[in-house]
Structure formats: structure tokens, C-alpha cells
Amino acid sequence: MAGRWDRARCLLAEDVERAHGAFDHLCGPDNLNTGIRGFPPGFDLESALLAILRQHPAPLSGELDEQGLQVAALQKQKTPAVVRTAEVSICSPFWPKKPELGSHGAHFVGLNARNLPWDWYGRPASDCQNENFDRWAPEMARRVA
């Protein structure tokens, strides 16, 4: 992350998958997500989002559409600074994500879901996700202590 910050740029996170929903065609070539995002001083997020919606009206029918709208808005003025997955991993036991921490932490995907309604190798996916988080809890506590 060091050396890439420009006070006029927004900040987004790299992703291991492309997930921009109805706004995918506006989101450039990179796989980005909004699990980490930052704004330069004075950035007007509301105006940026409304500008995209005025130019490309689309219903927001899920979290991927919402993420795509934000990615499109945050990269419209200037290429965003990007936190790489090696720095902050997309941490999950489910491929193509990785069940490890990055050098600066992790974005634990799926923990905010009350239930992942599918099985992973014969086990409830929610149990697998929660075990992965629990496995890393002591290390995360150590890093922030």
C-alpha cells in the first residue's frame, strides 16, 4: 500500500472474482470490490453515485449491483489506488478465495450472512466459514493489540 496513495484518488480493494452486477460494463478491467473503500478529501459520494445512475439507469437488485455502482463511481474521475489481495486477503475457505490472512489483514467474506444456504464437501458452508474466522481470531487480536 505504501507509495501508491494520491490524495486525489479513491481507494478500492482488489478481488479474486469479478462481481459488478448490472454496472460491470462501467467498471474497467480490474476485479475490484468495495469491502475496503476510501475517498479523497471533499469527495462527494452522493453526486458520484447519482451521476452514474443518471447516465446508466439500472435497478439495484442485489449486492453485486450495489458494488458495481460504487466501483463505477469511485473510478470515474481517476484510476483508484488498489489494496491488493496479497495485502488484505479475500479470506474464505471457498475457492477462488483463500483461507489465509494477507500481510496487512483480511476481508472475511460471507461473515455478515446469517446462513450460507449450501454445503461445502458435505458440511454446512456457514460452519466452514465460521471455523475459518475462528481459526484466525487469535492472530488478528495479536496484530491489533
Side-chain angles (χ1 to χ4, degrees):
M1 289 184 285
R4 291 184 301 183
W5 186 251
D6 168 349
R7 288 179 57 85
R9 295 166 70 188
C10 290
L11 175 79
L12 288 167
E14 181 180 38
D15 205 331
V16 295
E17 299 179 279
R18 191 162 179 89
H20 301 142
F23 298 92
D24 186 76
H25 64 289
L26 303 174
C27 292
D30 297 327
N31 296 344
L32 299 171
N33 79 52
T34 55
I36 299 172
R37 62 187 178 276
F39 315 107
F43 184 78
D44 185 349
L45 178 60
E46 179 181 14
S47 293
L49 295 170
L50 290 172
I52 296 294
L53 287 170
R54 274 192 291 277
Q55 294 169 0
H56 305 279
L60 299 178
S61 58
E63 66 275 358
L64 300 184
D65 294 334
E66 178 187 351
Q67 178 163 268
L69 171 61
Q70 290 182 60
V71 168
L74 295 180
Q75 67 181 14
K76 187 170 175 79
Q77 299 302 319
K78 207 169 190 184
T79 302
V82 176
V83 176
R84 300 288 170 201
T85 56
E87 297 164 320
V88 177
S89 67
I90 307 298
C91 193
S92 171
F94 314 121
W95 187 89
K97 297 155 183 79
K98 296 191 179 193
E100 292 94 26
L101 301 180
S103 62
H104 290 78
H107 171 177
F108 285 90
V109 178
L111 285 179
N112 58 345
R114 292 187 188 271
N115 181 47
L116 299 174
W118 43 280
D119 285 349
W120 183 253
Y121 293 100
R123 297 188 60 228
S126 294
D127 290 352
C128 298
Q129 183 70 307
N130 292 336
E131 287 170 5
N132 185 58
F133 178 81
D134 291 343
R135 173 180 148 212
W136 290 110
E139 174 61 15
M140 291 183 299
R142 185 194 69 76
R143 289 185 184 192
V144 300

